[in-house]
Amino acid sequence: MNDLDDLYQEMILGHARQPRNFGALAPCDRSAKGHNPLCGDRVTVYLRMDGERVREIQFDGAGCAICTASASLMTDGVKGLARPAIERVFQDVHELATGKSDGSKDLGKLAVFSGVSAFPMRVKCATLPWHTLLAALDSTSAPVTTE
Amino acid sequence: MSTRRLIPGSAELRAEFPILAREVHKRPLIYLDNAATSQKPAPVIAKLVECYERWNANVHRGVHKLSEEATEHYEGARAKIARHIGASDPAEIVFTRGATEAINLVAQTFGRTRLAAGDEVLITALEHHSNIVPWQMICRERGAVLKVVPITDAGDLVAGAFESLLTPRTRLAAFTWVSNALGTVNPVVEMTALARARGITTLVDACQAVPHFALNVRSLDADFLVFSGHKVYGPNGSGVLHGKRALLESLPPWQGGGDMIASVTFEESTWNHVPHKFEAGTPDYPATVALATALDWLSALGWDAVAAHEHTLLAAAEEALGAIQGVRLIGTPAHRSGVLSFTLDGVHPHDLGTVLDRMGVAIRAGHHCAQPVMDRLGVPATARASFSVFNTLEDVAALAAAVRETKRLFGA
């Protein structure tokens, strides 16, 4: 059961139970909806911008522990960043979650998602909030899906 | 195949399933996802191999010995499958890749020729996406209206709603025999009779019925009936459309190609007889032959024994899961078959599925290709355990133990 403990670390369970930055942001400058049809995860990301930088970010929706914790930690981690920096963090998280990271980067709390790499079917749960955030930055109106 | 009658749940029957010998995450496989796809007994796998090793050729085409034999086996499977479902005429059996293709075939032939603007197609809120989306597509194309029979909180069709939604504009009623998400067994005989009394064509999705009880298309008297082979211990890529002969003959072909034609010139082609009119291209004949083997294998167990065993498993699962605080059974229909949907408070079904998998227990977590059912019952997803003849009470106990372990891990 060791890889289960790696996946469901206390920080993930804590953020899943009590997500930070949860709830709609109204009014907001940009938003996007994301959906993972495989498991029914739904997440909406709301942004208030300061020029091209994220000033405030919140999310709501219903998802599994991995998705909810990922959204919670993501919203904590990207405030003040503009799109290029956000893309770099997402790339690092993605490499970590898919087991491609060499461990050289300091991801802070986001390092908790390394446990996902033993569960390929769950990678999309962790990345859905990030894809949704990027869509919100682009202000696409079509829902994002992981399929 | 053993000549002795195998007993559902027995070690001897389980030994027929090679996959049950493997481990998952270093634990014995406990397979409770039979409603998604069933595992295959050795005689079915052997039949596939035999087709390729002994009779591999294109059916209905060659003058050579192998093609003759392949054709004999293919048409023999058609006759056998017709007998299994009580059809008097093998020409009423159209082979498809599965139920989804069968429904699309009906939508694209019956729907395209019989639906006019303002006509209605009636389905139910219990349908799998495969019995929703093809009708949505053809209704949009024809300007027809899709109507839906609502369900209760328990997951039963609202009493009287089916009848009251049959109108003079209803051209087709398409409904599932057994809900894949909740296990609800619909009163399909009454439903087909109500439709027939009004001259309305019916289609019954029998995917989740065929693995669990004997069916007879004559007593059911639906115009169309569909099922997938892979859910009834048969191979992937096999499926059946049963249609009444006169109705099939009155429909245009669907896909064009080889085998479905009588003659072809650049000016005009003429169509083969039913069922070949609907079977364009080279069929997966080994899968079809092995599907007939699967139905032989299953029915040889005795339907009473199958039903009794699966009822025992469902009742035990309801009791074992119901005894766990925080577990909610989703759907409590009056008659249930095959599947049990549930949630665990504080744990998303997807997380539950992952933990169970690590304990060797395979279930389905998600919307089960029935998003409208989930929306109606107010859950984003459920965990679903679905049972077959090889499952045991030990499997049920392992499921309950794994759910308790998940609860512990999540502090739920």
Side-chain angles (χ1 to χ4, degrees):
Chain A
M1 300 285 281
N2 269 343
D3 52 1
L4 273 181
D5 293 331
D6 286 346
L7 180 67
Y8 295 115
Q9 295 178 42
E10 198 46 51
M11 187 177 328
I12 286 186
L13 293 180
H15 276 261
R17 269 186 224 114
Q18 290 178 310
R20 319 296 190 263
N21 312 307
F22 189 83
L25 201 55
C28 67
D29 299 323
R30 302 178 192 181
S31 71
K33 291 182 197 299
H35 180 215
N36 180 351
L38 178 70
C39 59
D41 286 348
R42 284 178 191 280
V43 61
T44 304
V45 171
Y46 307 89
L47 301 174
R48 279 184 192 146
M49 304 299 291
D50 191 358
E52 282 310 302
R53 286 175 191 280
V54 172
R55 180 159 51 89
E56 283 179 75
I57 174 168
Q58 297 215 161
F59 78 101
D60 64 9
C64 64
I66 307 302
C67 177
T68 305
S70 175
S72 176
L73 285 157
M74 175 189 81
T75 49
D76 260 355
V78 299
K79 279 176 195 162
L81 301 183
R83 184 173 177 124
I86 290 171
E87 281 179 0
R88 279 196 297 277
V89 179
F90 177 31
Q91 194 183 334
D92 292 345
V93 170
H94 194 270
E95 285 175 2
L96 192 68
T98 51
K100 291 176 189 137
S101 169
D102 59 9
S104 64
K105 293 181 179 106
D106 179 16
L107 280 169
K109 285 181 178 176
L110 290 168
V112 75
F113 291 101
S114 62
V116 176
S117 63
F119 296 82
M121 304 292 278
R122 305 303 300 275
V123 171
K124 285 177 176 176
C125 306
T127 56
L128 177 66
W130 289 92
H131 287 295
T132 312
L133 167 57
L134 293 180
L137 286 167
D138 293 340
S139 273
T140 53
S141 52
V144 178
T145 114
T146 57
E147 293 301 295
Chain B
M1 202 187 306
S2 166
T3 48
R4 276 190 51 217
R5 180 172 277 201
L6 294 164
I7 297 165
S10 66
E12 200 183 0
L13 179 141
R14 289 175 60 81
E16 294 265 291
F17 290 85
I19 206 165
L20 295 180
R22 71 159 284 180
E23 293 188 331
V24 170
H25 305 302
K26 297 180 182 153
R27 286 158 183 262
L29 168 65
I30 294 165
Y31 188 78
L32 295 173
D33 197 17
N34 294 282
T37 200
S38 60
Q39 296 302 344
K40 319 305 174 198
V44 170
I45 300 168
K47 186 59 75 178
L48 281 174
V49 173
E50 192 177 16
C51 283
Y52 284 113
E53 288 186 346
R54 300 196 55 197
W55 314 303
N56 185 51
N58 208 322
V59 297
H60 298 145
R61 283 162 175 86
V63 292
H64 56 78
K65 186 66 182 165
L66 290 188
S67 181
E68 180 192 321
E69 289 182 359
T71 303
E72 262 171 40
H73 287 284
Y74 185 57
E75 293 307 322
R78 196 186 307 273
K80 208 180 256 187
I81 290 167
R83 275 201 304 282
H84 272 293
I85 65 171
S88 50
D89 183 356
E92 299 192 325
I93 304 291
V94 178
F95 290 130
T96 65
R97 285 188 298 129
T100 297
E101 187 173 74
I103 294 170
N104 277 279
L105 190 163
V106 176
Q108 293 298 319
T109 56
F110 180 91
R112 196 163 268 168
T113 52
R114 308 290 172 88
L115 290 177
D119 284 345
E120 294 166 9
V121 172
L122 182 61
I123 60 173
T124 85
L126 289 171
E127 302 311 312
H128 187 281
H129 293 165
S130 60
N131 204 24
I132 301 173
V133 182
W135 304 119
Q136 267 176 343
M137 291 165 68
I138 197 68
C139 281
R140 184 160 298 172
E141 186 180 316
R142 304 296 304 166
V145 182
L146 188 63
K147 294 205 162 175
V148 184
V149 181
I151 56 171
T152 65
D153 291 342
D156 284 308
L157 297 179
V158 170
F162 177 76
E163 186 172 8
S164 65
L165 283 164
L166 294 172
T167 77
R169 295 310 300 267
T170 311
R171 294 289 167 265
L172 180 93
F175 42 90
T176 192
W177 195 324
V178 177
S179 155
N180 74 306
L182 306 178
T184 310
V185 181
N186 283 327
V188 285
V189 175
E190 288 82 349
M191 292 165 80
T192 55
L194 287 167
R196 194 176 339 106
R198 293 160 177 78
I200 295 166
T201 304
T202 51
L203 179 146
V204 171
D205 172 0
C207 280
Q208 303 291 344
V210 180
H212 303 298
F213 41 85
L215 63 87
N216 186 300
V217 292
R218 270 173 296 176
S219 56
L220 176 64
D221 207 13
D223 295 291
F224 299 108
L225 175 136
V226 304
F227 65 93
S228 291
H230 74 97
K231 292 190 199 286
V232 60
Y233 308 98
N236 284 322
S238 62
V240 169
L241 164 66
H242 173 264
K244 288 184 179 172
R245 183 165 189 156
L247 181 55
L248 288 178
E249 283 174 344
S250 74
L251 295 175
W254 178 33
Q255 296 176 326
D259 215 31
M260 55 76 70
I261 43 81
S263 70
V264 176
T265 66
F266 286 118
E267 288 70 39
E268 187 182 32
S269 299
T270 56
W271 315 134
N272 203 339
H273 300 295
V274 296
H276 310 294
K277 182 169 82 175
F278 298 109
E279 294 180 0
T282 297
D284 190 342
Y285 111 82
T288 303
V289 171
L291 170 58
T293 304
L295 292 172
D296 283 345
W297 181 89
L298 178 60
S299 60
L301 304 179
W303 286 110
D304 289 345
V306 170
H309 180 68
E310 291 178 350
H311 176 78
T312 300
L313 295 176
L314 267 178
E318 276 189 67
E319 191 183 336
L321 292 175
I324 300 170
Q325 207 180 3
V327 168
R328 284 196 299 140
L329 299 181
I330 304 299
T332 49
H335 300 284
R336 183 200 291 284
S337 174
V339 313
L340 200 58
S341 254
F342 61 99
T343 59
L344 174 61
D345 288 349
V347 182
H348 191 279
H350 209 192
D351 296 311
L352 184 58
T354 289
V355 181
L356 263 55
D357 172 61
R358 267 351 198 222
M359 300 184 73
V361 181
I363 60 154
R364 175 84 185 261
H367 53 57
H368 320 296
C369 297
Q371 284 182 18
V373 175
M374 303 289 110
D375 291 344
R376 166 62 182 80
L377 298 180
V379 288
T382 72
R384 180 190 69 184
S386 52
F387 300 92
S388 80
V389 292
F390 60 71
N391 290 121
T392 63
L393 288 171
E394 288 73 33
D395 293 347
V396 173
L399 167 67
V403 172
R404 283 193 297 270
E405 174 63 20
T406 312
K407 233 180 104 138
R408 189 198 60 75
L409 186 73
F410 277 76

